[in-house]
Amino acid sequence: DMTFGVGYGERPPTVPPPPIVVPVIVTHHERVEQVKGEGPIAVLADDRIVVSEQVFFREARAELLPESDRVLRAVLDVLEAHPDIDHLLVEGHTNARGGQRYNRRLSDARAESVVAWFVANGVQSDRLLSKGFGEDTPLVPVTHPDAMVVNRRVEFKVLRSDEDGIEPEV
């Protein structure tokens, strides 16, 4: 027995749904949930610009998604308000999905994309550095239920030149 059918009407849309935005404050040793809409998106805290929202990229690519503009503009505001920040290191981090070499290259490319966004929005390129760490510095163990989301992130580390005028090394 063979069965087949014919359907009428419009095809369903093929546009993928937008990514889910999860507001999270991420520092090296803690993850604090934030109530959406409360508090600043980016704040200068010691040697970091701490962000309460993630930077989003196209899946497995270094292409920034429009949802990232809000958090990147907040970091840009911090940079403009603090000309004493000599250098900002944009750190790219991935989760453990994929091979280690692939993740390192992807995190490098993503950090470079963020730097390119800042340069396109008026930050001097000599004030910015980028480095990808791949999956080498997770915030939570890979066994954590939120590891895939939490460990995939961009961090902003403030590097200040010392008195000798020596450029910071990455």
Side-chain angles (χ1 to χ4, degrees):
D1 282 316
M2 287 183 58
T3 308
F4 69 93
V6 178
Y8 296 96
E10 294 182 19
R11 289 176 52 154
T14 57
V15 178
I20 298 168
V21 176
V22 182
V24 175
I25 293 176
V26 178
T27 63
H28 266 305
H29 302 293
E30 62 181 317
R31 175 174 173 256
V32 182
E33 295 293 339
Q34 184 191 38
V35 178
K36 193 168 186 159
E38 287 186 13
I41 298 171
V43 291
L44 181 60
D46 298 323
D47 67 340
R48 315 206 141 260
I49 296 176
V50 179
V51 295
S52 63
E53 294 182 11
Q54 287 188 311
V55 177
F56 289 96
F57 299 89
R58 192 157 306 288
E59 184 68 31
R61 298 249 170 103
E63 180 187 343
L64 284 162
L65 292 175
E67 296 90 312
S68 299
D69 279 2
R70 187 171 127 104
V71 67
L72 294 177
R73 290 207 180 281
V75 174
L76 180 63
D77 289 345
V78 172
L79 281 174
E80 289 174 349
H82 293 276
D84 57 308
I85 296 175
D86 298 315
H87 300 282
L88 185 69
L89 172 61
V90 177
E91 298 181 353
H93 301 271
T94 65
N95 56 33
R97 187 180 295 152
Q100 196 166 14
R101 188 177 304 151
Y102 170 82
N103 284 336
R104 180 68 59 85
R105 281 198 305 263
L106 179 61
S107 63
D108 259 332
R110 286 180 169 178
E112 288 170 7
S113 289
V114 172
V115 164
W117 186 97
F118 285 130
V119 170
N121 284 275
V123 179
Q124 292 181 332
S125 61
D126 62 357
R127 201 175 170 199
L128 300 163
L129 301 156
S130 66
K131 183 170 177 64
F133 291 86
E135 60 193 77
D136 295 344
T137 54
L139 288 177
V140 296
V142 294
T143 53
H144 190 282
D146 296 329
M148 288 299 175
V149 174
V150 173
N151 290 335
R152 181 181 57 222
R153 68 199 187 278
V154 174
E155 292 189 12
F156 303 96
K157 185 173 182 184
V158 174
L159 305 175
R160 301 179 199 271
S161 298
D162 61 23
E163 277 82 28
D164 300 328
I166 297 171
E167 292 293 309
E169 288 188 27
V170 176

